Amino acid sequence: ASASAFKRNFASSAKPRMLNGRTLAPTINHNNSAGMKILAVLYKGGDAAKQEPRLLGTVENQLGIREWLESQGHEYIVTDDKEGPNSVFQRELKDAEVLITTPFHPGYLTRDLIAKAPNLKLCVTAGVGSDHIDLNAAVERKIQVLEVTGSNVTSVAEHVVMSILLLVRNFVPAHEMIERGDWQVSEVARNAYDLEGKVIGTLGAGRIGYRVLERLQPFNPKELLYYDYNPLPEEAAKKVGARRVEDLKEFVSQLDVLTVNAPLHEGTRNLINADLLKHFKKGAWLVNTARGAICNAEDVAAALKSGQLNGYAGDVWNVQPAPKEHPWRYMKNTLGGGNGMVPHYSGTTLDAQARYAAGTKQILENYFQGKPQEPANIIVGLGKYETKSYGKR
Ligand code: NAD
């Protein structure tokens, strides 16, 4: 039974391209019955992608897998056009078997779209974080959702540490002053602090959260705290000197700095809102590189304006690309600083792109050949969640 479950779970519907024990010659005939349609929604790289081939996650460089896929007779459609019923994404999805997306330019696979994609069997996230897919609908339809777990967790953890430092040390206004041609040390020093001696906490202590704790320990914080329904193994918590706090309000009320490192799901959407922000220490710093929609955009901007927050930094937005008028582009603290927002790129360094492109190829190869997938990569298996990270179930 498990062998057939495995076959249903992972094996490609494509007929093997073998004849009398010989592999058939590669073909790029898209109508070949051996091939399947693979649709990828990636971001447009423009001139940068033409000049820098290591920008693998772009429409131009196509994760570096076109030749390989076509040599096996598969049709590979790559687009950045993802919004609305006439988008390439929505049109091509209708008969695609595999969908590749990235969190950086998410093709939002809603329940409605899943209903219109009868052939869809596998979704691969080139990166980490699959909230742009309706995971509950994928469970119901027995569509598997895999991601390249771990591929960019160090990249993000480094960005988190950088963002904490740039907020606490008031770096952005100091740099802007230099670019303006000004020099008034007191104007920036009035809101600059040391990280040493502060209480820092992570909401979510998984792969990224734990790496953040590891990287923060040498700064000699007063205390490192974490909030997660999956407690760290005792040894791991001890190694970084982190204490778990089980009540969320109690957790945030102790922190000078909060870093958010949990996936977006029903239990984290809009979790950091005006109500919770009231329980923060006045003047705390907040860094969110997990998902924009975990924080309420208007409430965060208001907290910065009122002084409840001293700074907010991150690379993730509730809508991506973020519209020009998004409050997070322009919000400031009471002293005109405290904004460390950048576009979604912390997990897409060139090092990370090499890893998630290779990981995507491996997942596809396993799928084509009916080989088992790396268990850590499976978010949704055949009809059930395989991860414990998307909420208590
Ligand atoms: P992970 O699965 O290793 O860890 C996530 C942790 O969050 C788990 O320990 C889980 O129990 C915890 N968690 C879930 N819901 C929670 C809740 N309500 N309260 C407290 N903790 C909760 O995942 P990871 O590799 O550390 O990645 C975390 C998230 O970071 C991803 O899901 C993704 O959204 C985001 N991410 C962002 C980027 C980027 O480029 N900005 C890149 C990679 C990942």
Side-chain angles (χ1 to χ4, degrees), residues 104 128-129 131 152-153 156 203-209 227-230 261-263 265 267-268 289-291 315-316 344 346-347 388-390:
F104 309 105
V128 173
D131 51 276
N152 53 16
V153 294
V156 179
L203 192 156
R207 294 174 183 88
I208 296 173
Y227 173 84
D228 195 320
Y229 57 83
N230 285 314
N261 298 296
H265 54 79
T268 55
T289 53
R291 282 298 175 258
D315 65 330
V316 286
H344 191 171
S346 73
K388 291 195 175 92
S389 289
Y390 279 75

Side-chain angles (χ1 to χ4, degrees), residues 65-78:
I65 53 176
R66 174 172 291 283
E67 228 173 274
W68 173 69
L69 287 175
E70 289 186 343
S71 74
Q72 301 182 46
H74 302 303
E75 183 181 7
Y76 186 37
I77 294 177
V78 180

